[in-house]
Amino acid sequence: MYKQPVSPLQYLYENRFVLVRAMFFIWLLFAVYWLYSLWGIECTEIKCLKFAYKLKEGDEEGISARSALAFILWVLTSGIFVAGAVIFILKFLYNCVMDMIKGVVSRKTQDFVVPIVLMISLWPCFAYRVEIKSAYRTLSSQASEIVTMALGYNLKLERGKAQGSKSRNPGFSDEKEPADEK
């Protein structure tokens, strides 16, 4: 029996799932290599992202610690909304790109185009590695400085004369009452 030669397009079509999986793993390797390559990059802090000094403008150390603690609480509460907005925007962009690929490319070749687009999307990550690491280093140093300031805050409570333990619980008192003399 004579076996007919297989054309390259037919071979690609028959083995498309294996090739797509291999391209996805190549993309994953590039992404891991990008993270690994960040360690070897020299960068400087970005001056326009430094904002912790504004919290130190108070006269006392307690004021700056209090403002740092308030800033941390504000970031924690508003950070949830910002993270949700970022996730929404990223998912929206992903859906737009995938719909564009599905509209432009035929169904047979969609499996090949998606990993290629993912590989092309890594280009800005590699092109702006220094800027990304500089921003990360600046923001992390600012955050650690703010946390250090906030940990220095000591809460001091003063008990007023009118607000004693007698007024809250008449059966308990930390002042010794004179014993009844008979």
Side-chain angles (χ1 to χ4, degrees):
M1 288 224 268
Y2 178 72
K3 193 173 184 182
Q4 289 186 347
V6 179
S7 70
L9 291 176
Q10 185 179 4
Y11 178 78
L12 288 175
Y13 181 73
E14 289 174 359
N15 297 315
R16 69 184 180 273
F17 297 114
V18 175
L19 294 172
V20 166
R21 198 172 302 135
M23 284 192 292
F24 175 74
F25 283 119
I26 290 170
W27 173 81
L28 192 62
L29 284 173
F30 277 131
V32 170
Y33 175 73
W34 179 78
L35 289 173
Y36 176 74
S37 69
L38 285 179
W39 279 324
I41 295 176
E42 295 293 325
C43 66
T44 59
E45 290 191 359
I46 302 172
K47 292 181 181 176
C48 65
L49 290 179
K50 291 185 178 184
F51 53 88
Y53 68 90
K54 291 181 182 177
L55 298 174
K56 291 182 180 180
E57 290 178 354
D59 295 335
E60 300 176 16
E61 184 64 31
I63 293 174
S64 64
R66 240 186 323 193
S67 58
L69 186 62
F71 185 74
I72 288 174
L73 294 175
W74 175 76
V75 167
L76 289 176
T77 54
S78 63
I80 295 169
F81 297 117
V82 170
V86 167
I87 290 171
F88 175 77
I89 290 169
L90 290 175
K91 181 64 177 169
F92 178 75
L93 291 173
Y94 175 80
N95 288 340
C96 288
V97 169
M98 289 303 154
D99 286 344
M100 186 175 61
I101 289 172
K102 289 177 183 176
V104 173
V105 179
S106 69
R107 193 171 270 224
K108 290 180 181 179
T109 57
Q110 283 178 6
D111 296 333
F112 290 113
V113 173
V114 171
I116 292 170
V117 168
L118 286 175
M119 281 190 235
I120 292 172
S121 70
L122 285 177
W123 174 78
C125 296
F126 280 102
Y128 298 106
R129 283 186 296 192
V130 175
E131 290 83 0
I132 291 170
K133 187 174 180 181
S134 297
Y136 170 74
R137 178 171 276 175
T138 304
L139 291 176
S140 65
S141 69
Q142 294 294 302
S144 66
E145 190 173 335
I146 288 172
V147 168
T148 303
M149 277 193 295
L151 290 177
Y153 182 64
N154 292 327
L155 183 64
K156 296 177 183 174
L157 298 176
E158 294 181 12
R159 194 169 99 185
K161 302 269 185 201
Q163 181 190 6
S165 58
K166 266 187 172 178
S167 63
R168 282 190 252 150
N169 189 355
F172 177 75
S173 173
D174 48 338
E175 294 179 14
K176 292 187 179 183
E177 295 182 11
D180 292 328
E181 294 182 16
K182 292 182 182 176

